[in-house]
Amino acid sequence: MNPSERIDKYIAALTDWRGQMLANIRKIIQDADPEIIEQWKWMGSPVFSHHGLILVANAHKDKVKLTFSQGVNLPDPDRIFNAGLQGNKWRAIDLHEGDGINARALKNMIRAAAAYNLAGLKGKSPANARGLRAKVRKEAKVRKK
């Protein structure tokens, strides 16, 4: 069974809200980055990569957890990270039953993680890697005039 089939099976086995939540998240991930690679690692965890690990998605008893491997290095203007904030590298999003998903913010986070991985340089921010820093500066100058 390939990794995508294992993830399909994993989601299908979750017959409560967590299965639907993971299915929705998976769709958002695929929409955010069509080049994302689905993997199955660490004895049963769906993993999503692009030029390196982006995030791990797990269903726990009372939540769905999305853990970004380079979370500390990613901009979070929408403040979607709500777990693992004290870690040295990883940041997470814990989603509980009834929680909504900010699809736009999650897509932006996935794209920033892919850009960070692509940059491959310590100290180079994801915004700089995507060319956004210059755009933000230009917009700020226009607004000041």
Side-chain angles (χ1 to χ4, degrees), residues 1-138:
M1 199 179 312
N2 70 41
S4 292
E5 292 169 337
R6 285 183 173 213
I7 294 170
D8 289 339
K9 187 175 177 180
Y10 178 73
I11 291 171
L14 297 165
T15 57
D16 59 6
W17 66 271
R18 298 170 302 156
Q20 185 60 49
M21 178 75 75
L22 276 173
N24 291 342
I25 289 166
R26 186 184 193 191
K27 173 88 171 88
I28 292 168
I29 292 168
Q30 292 167 340
D31 288 347
D33 185 352
E35 295 181 29
I36 206 99
I37 297 169
E38 294 184 329
Q39 298 172 302
W40 188 258
K41 293 186 176 186
W42 301 300
M43 298 179 63
S45 294
V47 175
F48 300 89
S49 300
H50 187 174
H51 298 293
L53 180 62
I54 290 180
L55 71 99
V56 180
N58 291 105
H60 296 266
K61 185 177 180 178
D62 64 338
K63 65 187 168 197
V64 170
K65 186 176 210 65
L66 307 177
T67 307
F68 284 76
S69 64
Q70 293 292 334
V72 73
N73 296 305
L74 304 176
D76 186 16
D78 295 295
R79 299 180 187 242
I80 61 173
F81 287 137
N82 61 8
L85 301 175
Q86 302 305 318
N88 292 332
K89 185 175 173 182
W90 300 70
R91 294 288 183 270
I93 303 167
D94 286 352
L95 298 161
H96 297 88
E97 186 171 10
D99 286 352
I101 302 170
N102 183 337
R104 180 196 52 77
L106 182 55
K107 284 179 183 180
N108 288 340
M109 189 65 68
I110 291 161
R111 291 174 183 140
Y116 182 85
N117 288 347
L118 186 60
L121 301 173
K122 285 189 174 187
K124 187 170 184 179
S125 75
N128 286 340
R130 292 180 298 166
L132 294 180
R133 187 70 68 205
K135 182 179 177 182
V136 169
R137 287 188 184 134
K138 285 180 188 176

